[in-house]
Amino acid sequence: MSAITVIILVLYFAIENFVIEKKPWLPECTPVYIQYFVKFFIIGVTVLVVAVPEGLPLAVTISLAYSVKKMMKDNNLVRHLDACETMGNATAICSDKTGTLTTNRMTVVQAYVGDTHYKEIPDSDALPAKTLDLMIHSISINSAYTTKILPPDKDGGLPRQVGNKTECGLLGFILDLKRDYQPIRDQIPEEKLYKVYTFNSVRKSMSTVTKLPNGSFRMYSKGASEIVLKKCSHILNAVGDPRIFRPRDRDEMVKKVIEPMACEGLRTICIGYRDFPASPEPDWDNENDIVTDLTCICVVGIEDPVRPEVPEAIRKCQRAGITVRMVTGDNINTARAIAIKCGIIHPGEDFLCIDGKEFNRRIRNEKGEVEQERIDKVWPKLRVLARSSPTDKHTLVKGIIDSTQVGQRQVVAVTGDGTNDGPALKKADVGFAMGIAGTDVAKEASDIILTDDNFSSIVKAVMWGRNVYDSISKFLQFQLTVNVVAVIVAFTGACITQDSPLKAVQMLWVNLIMDTFASLALATEPPTESLLMRRPYGRNKPLISRTMMKNILGHGIYQLIIIFTLLFAGEQIFNIDSGRNAPLHAPASEHYTIIFNTFVMMQLFNEINARKIHGERNVFDGIFRNPIFCSIVLGTLGIQIVIVQFGGKPFSCSPLDVDKWLWCLFLGFGELLWGQVISTIPKNSLKFLKGAGQLTHKDEMPEEEMNEDAEEIDHSERELRRGQILWFRGLNRIQTQIRVVKAFRSSLYEGLEKPESKSSIHNFMTHPEFRIEDSQPHIPLIDDTDIEEDAALKQNSSQPSSPNKNNNAIDSGINLTTDTSKSASSSSPGSPLHSLETSL
């Protein structure tokens, strides 16, 4: 556009002066002509500067940086800047339970001791002395010694829990029984512990072995009740003596004790012990034989209250079109009860609550491989995944992201606090790590850290993410309007009058208004609750919607009508001298000053219109909650007054009187009135806008774009697998070459027909640990440089390729038979065997 403007101006000047008026090129006039050409060049550069929306990157950066700063106050520490905007389009949140949905302040509220189910904490006198002693020793010793209950910081406050919260709840149980755990720990310090089987997500229990004074050993164990009870063969009765604990007794206990506790939202923990003789000493490394044949001491129910603000936060998410799923390691009944309290599931709805074992049964085939089709049948209705491992969480997240069952690709956010949650946090579109309970590995793998471990902070992150998107859209709506009008005015005015109505310095001031100031004003709008009243935009939605396009065109038409009216009839309206066709160094005219001033006033009032991008009528709603916006608008108005009244020749301005200032303000204020007219026009009635803001028809779209989400490859995952793929490729090629050599030596070509031979180097790929499983399109195991060679191999192949995917020789079409004619042709100079032989 700028080049065309310069060319038209030069041709217009040359034709008018040297063709029509037939003026000769006089040497003494050359400096004057050069000044004209420089002026035309400056106008062209000005059009270029105004036409390029260079303020968009600035607006995006300011919006993200401002949001990140403000999110810190909402307990969101953003580590990756782009995660802020991505969170605005989240469609699913897979959240932990403990500490995120609940307060993570564990308290034992029920207990099953000595064949009695206590609904409240019993008195220590009511318990058998032997059972009480074993229980206190088991809890005190079989817990991390860093876990403690400390006095409250303030008078009347709750005791402080330091360390693992579940163990804190058990230690609090000892204190409620009017006993103390510290003397036992002092008697048996941590360094005297004989063997410790730490808790992990696989065994879901913890065991500690101590050596008794008589030389024998005693192991204390605690963990998930249904898991530990399966390892119990005895249980302490009402007087503290062990009795046989049969499977039917366990089933009855699960039905009458554990399930009622879990249905009340309690986490059930079983505590047991086992004695070992001094001689022979057991093989402590054989954990399966050690942690078995236990004697159950008691089962306790630990309450972790739901955070009071969580139900409302989840309700906001659901209203915003975000599905919340609970992924926890707790019992299925406990998880379901907590999910009901949080509002994740509601009675009568069609939802799915399953545990990790059932989840894996549904998504894996007979070979134990995860199938995307099976996951697609589970995840849409899944709301609670209980007794899940970190691997289950990663599988669920990957399955939702890779799914093509719904139109838009799902944007998944995940919370995690453990080291094993790293893969899931990395795989998710947005990973949230716990700032209080999270490990360093989880924080490094995350995009955002929740400094308060609270689910409601995730909802604030969603709000800020959507606000970033809307802020960028507001800026685009404003800037494109200015761009369109300024370019058309400069281009048309220059072509008709040989001079731009807006001078170069004036254009730069307008560019400063619409770039720097507008990005600051519109990108710092605070979020409102109304952002959570709509569904996510989706990954494929264009940034400029049809409503925005209607506003851009509508306000552009209004401004062009006003500017061109002032340009060609302004001198008659205001009874002033015309500024058109002025000499080269003529002083600034009131005519062009009125055009410039009116143009700036219209931009100022249109900046207020740009605050709303969804067709809202009240453009002043919440304007005073953004002091930056108000300051920039008033500051710009003040600077404009100074430029017009005192800018003089540098700004090509002539001072205006009060009447002309009022007219400029009135025409600018008309933008607000015209904005109401535009809001009245339904976008569906504008036929030419029906294609704006939406994707084209499927028949017109390239297949690659239609399958963009379905075929999206995780590049970070590709990098992680690159070394493994290269390893496989090298082994495959070595195997191919070895087979070819053997074929030539022994003339027994059918060896290549047996890829399942046990002597095959690459048979290890059938082992599940080495199998590359990915629902994305597989990365080829052949270099791009081998394409020509592969084509030659396929042309020379005489048989269909073998189904064995692990043999590049067979896949590429090298099929050796005992047919002499074929073998002769295969070893000819142009054959693939000849090329392989040469390479060998």
Side-chain angles (χ1 to χ4, degrees), residues 604-654:
L604 281 180
F605 285 99
N606 189 37
E607 197 167 353
I608 300 175
N609 280 327
R611 295 183 65 250
K612 304 298 178 183
I613 58 173
H614 299 297
E616 300 93 334
R617 287 191 172 275
N618 186 7
V619 295
F620 292 96
D621 181 33
I623 192 171
F624 295 112
R625 292 195 299 114
N626 187 3
I628 298 178
F629 182 89
C630 299
S631 302
I632 288 176
V633 170
L634 295 177
T636 305
L637 179 60
I639 296 174
Q640 178 67 16
I641 294 173
V642 172
I643 289 174
V644 171
Q645 296 301 117
F646 308 104
K649 190 174 182 179
F651 285 92
S652 302
C653 289
S654 176

Side-chain angles (χ1 to χ4, degrees), residues 81-265:
L81 208 61
D82 57 341
C84 180
E85 189 271 333
T86 305
M87 194 59 206
N89 280 326
T91 58
I93 299 176
C94 298
S95 173
D96 288 335
K97 178 186 77 69
T98 304
T100 307
L101 301 175
T102 59
T103 59
N104 201 19
R105 186 174 182 84
M106 306 291 190
T107 308
V108 175
V109 293
Q110 295 186 27
Y112 180 83
V113 187
D115 295 336
T116 305
H117 185 184
Y118 296 95
K119 296 287 187 177
E120 296 179 354
I121 301 299
D123 292 333
S124 57
D125 299 335
L127 302 178
K130 184 178 179 180
T131 303
L132 181 62
D133 184 68
L134 282 170
M135 183 169 60
I136 293 174
H137 275 77
S138 178
I139 293 174
S140 303
I141 296 171
N142 190 30
S143 298
Y145 277 37
T146 54
T147 302
K148 299 176 182 178
I149 303 292
L150 301 178
D153 292 330
K154 300 178 181 178
D155 293 337
L158 295 173
R160 287 183 294 136
Q161 296 184 346
V162 179
N164 184 280
K165 301 302 180 181
T166 302
E167 294 180 346
C168 285
L170 294 173
L171 294 177
F173 181 45
I174 294 178
L175 299 178
D176 291 339
L177 292 173
K178 305 297 187 292
R179 296 292 190 273
D180 194 2
Y181 60 87
Q182 195 57 47
I184 299 174
R185 289 184 171 181
D186 294 338
Q187 182 181 356
I188 307 175
E190 194 170 5
E191 55 270 14
K192 287 189 177 182
L193 299 180
Y194 200 80
K195 178 72 175 177
V196 177
Y197 301 95
T198 56
F199 180 89
N200 62 35
S201 58
V202 177
R203 61 169 67 105
K204 291 190 180 298
S205 65
M206 174 183 178
S207 302
T208 303
V209 180
T210 61
K211 195 168 186 178
L212 301 179
N214 60 6
S216 61
F217 302 95
R218 174 168 291 174
M219 181 186 68
Y220 299 105
S221 187
K222 73 170 187 294
S225 56
E226 62 267 34
I227 292 176
V228 175
L229 279 178
K230 290 180 180 179
K231 301 176 181 178
C232 291
S233 59
H234 295 79
I235 188 171
L236 299 182
N237 59 17
V239 295
D241 296 330
R243 63 173 174 83
I244 298 295
F245 190 60
R246 303 181 186 86
R248 66 168 179 268
D249 297 330
R250 182 179 68 243
D251 296 340
E252 184 179 0
M253 186 174 177
V254 168
K255 186 176 181 181
K256 293 185 177 181
V257 178
I258 294 176
E259 287 187 358
M261 284 185 181
C263 290
E264 294 180 27

Side-chain angles (χ1 to χ4, degrees), residues 260-267 302-304 333-334 337-338 341:
M261 284 185 181
C263 290
E264 294 180 27
L266 304 183
R267 173 182 290 183
I302 301 178
E303 182 183 41
D304 188 10
N333 294 318
T334 304
I338 296 295
K341 290 181 181 179

Side-chain angles (χ1 to χ4, degrees), residues 693-710:
Q694 63 183 8
L695 296 177
T696 56
H697 195 269
K698 284 187 178 181
D699 295 338
E700 302 172 355
M701 288 181 61
E703 187 176 350
E704 299 90 294
E705 291 182 14
M706 290 175 60
N707 298 328
E708 180 183 359
D709 291 335

Side-chain angles (χ1 to χ4, degrees), residues 261-311:
M261 284 185 181
C263 290
E264 294 180 27
L266 304 183
R267 173 182 290 183
T268 55
I269 301 293
C270 179
I271 300 172
Y273 78 100
R274 180 184 178 183
D275 289 329
F276 295 92
S279 180
E281 184 173 341
D283 180 10
W284 301 112
D285 293 332
N286 190 354
E287 183 181 346
N288 292 331
D289 292 339
I290 298 297
V291 188
T292 187
D293 196 22
L294 303 177
T295 300
C296 176
I297 301 173
C298 65
V299 175
V300 297
I302 301 178
E303 182 183 41
D304 188 10
V306 174
R307 291 180 182 269
E309 64 273 15
V310 163

